[in-house]
Amino acid sequence: LARAAHDADGVAPFNEATLLALAAGDALRLEVVDDAGAVLAFGDAPAELVVHPDQRRRGVGRELLERALTADATDFWAHGDLPAAQALARSAGLSPVRTLLVLRLALGDEAPQEKVPDGVSIRSFRPEDVDAVVAVNGRAFATHPEQGAMDRADFERRAASDWFDPRGLLVAERDGEVVGFHWTKIDDGIGEVYVVGVDPSAQGIGLGAALTASGLRFMHEQGVRTVDLYVEADNEPALRTYHRLGFVEHDRDTLYATPER
């Protein structure tokens, strides 16, 4: 169902967290309309719903949305923020409260060259780095609703993915301590700036830009020429860094919420 929706819309209806939860059998509430080819997924995270392209414009999406609202769901992702999703949200009195931009970079013949801050070294991940990377991630994304919640189990689940390459998880050290990382992802020939995390103690020295450029160079060396990343629309410092590197907006996801949220 997700593949059919992706083929029709050009955007995936479920985010990675939902797919990982499904694959792991974690607690995730599903409402399924079998005869209409539709699924609503929700749990602790915002709800996501999808209707098969052949079954649309029959009120199925609104039925699923009403089920979610009855179950006290308050937040709903609209991946790609497609016109149909906007109309459905408006019809239910939902308002946009958050925008996640998808930026894209076309790498040319030359990869960006990083300028590593004095006293910092960047290397590939080692197994003993797990706890340090998780700790830095927690501090770097302390106010982020999804990324900041990553624990060791989440890390290991992601690292078990087919696309994981430890060489592409770049770790920054200063005085023997991990102070940042850039986790790259390559899947079906498309690269992704998966996560760039910088410890608050090392922010403001250009480490984020250095880690980003290092990861882009790694992906370039693997033959990747198209790289995506996700960033909050109101994260101006990160946007300035990514725009300087040549990233441009490619798509966007919008979070809609009920007035009571």
Side-chain angles (χ1 to χ4, degrees):
L1 174 60
R3 284 194 294 269
H6 183 277
D7 290 344
D9 302 329
V11 61
F14 296 133
N15 63 25
E16 183 186 53
T18 296
L19 295 175
L20 286 172
L22 288 169
D26 286 355
L28 182 72
R29 183 162 180 178
L30 296 175
E31 297 279 350
V32 181
V33 183
D34 290 323
D35 57 351
V39 169
L40 164 71
F42 62 103
D44 294 332
E48 297 166 302
L49 64 90
V50 58
V51 179
H52 195 283
D54 295 341
Q55 303 294 333
R56 294 175 179 175
R57 298 181 179 86
R58 300 182 183 183
V60 179
R62 183 56 188 261
E63 177 187 345
L64 286 176
L65 181 56
E66 292 295 342
R67 290 189 192 185
L69 292 169
T70 300
D72 295 326
T74 59
D75 297 344
F76 301 82
W77 273 121
H79 299 296
D81 201 20
L82 303 173
Q86 295 176 16
L88 180 61
R90 286 195 302 268
S91 73
L94 306 179
S95 301
V97 295
R98 179 183 168 199
T99 300
L100 190 63
L101 299 179
V102 184
L103 304 185
R104 173 161 287 186
L105 173 66
L107 287 172
D109 294 333
E110 299 292 333
Q113 294 299 310
E114 66 274 20
K115 182 179 179 182
V116 182
D118 292 341
V120 176
S121 61
I122 297 177
R123 58 168 174 79
S124 291
F125 168 83
R126 296 192 291 255
E128 60 267 27
D129 294 325
V130 174
D131 290 333
V133 168
V134 169
V136 168
N137 180 86
R139 292 191 292 269
F141 297 99
T143 61
H144 193 281
E146 291 102 15
Q147 185 61 35
M150 185 180 76
D151 57 16
R152 187 184 179 97
D154 293 324
F155 180 98
E156 291 175 346
R157 182 183 301 166
R158 299 182 192 190
S161 300
D162 292 340
W163 54 261
F164 177 65
D165 183 345
R167 300 174 304 162
L169 175 45
L170 303 173
V171 175
E173 280 188 325
R174 183 175 63 185
D175 298 327
E177 299 290 333
V178 174
V179 292
F181 66 94
H182 179 183
W183 194 339
T184 68
K185 175 180 179 180
I186 301 175
D187 196 16
D188 290 333
I190 301 295
E192 182 180 336
V193 177
Y194 191 55
V195 190
V196 176
V198 177
D199 192 275
S201 67
Q203 292 176 1
I205 62 173
L207 181 55
L211 281 165
T212 301
S214 295
L216 292 175
R217 180 164 55 82
F218 169 78
M219 289 186 280
H220 188 275
E221 290 170 352
Q222 311 312 306
V224 170
R225 293 298 179 266
T226 301
V227 178
D228 290 342
L229 64 82
Y230 292 81
V231 62
E232 300 289 340
D234 60 358
N235 190 342
E236 295 183 4
L239 285 170
R240 285 195 294 270
T241 295
Y242 296 139
H243 287 154
R244 282 197 298 268
L245 289 166
F247 282 91
V248 297
E249 183 176 338
H250 175 68
D251 213 337
R252 60 176 56 202
D253 296 343
T254 299
L255 186 69
Y256 288 89
T258 61
E260 298 79 15
R261 176 184 182 270

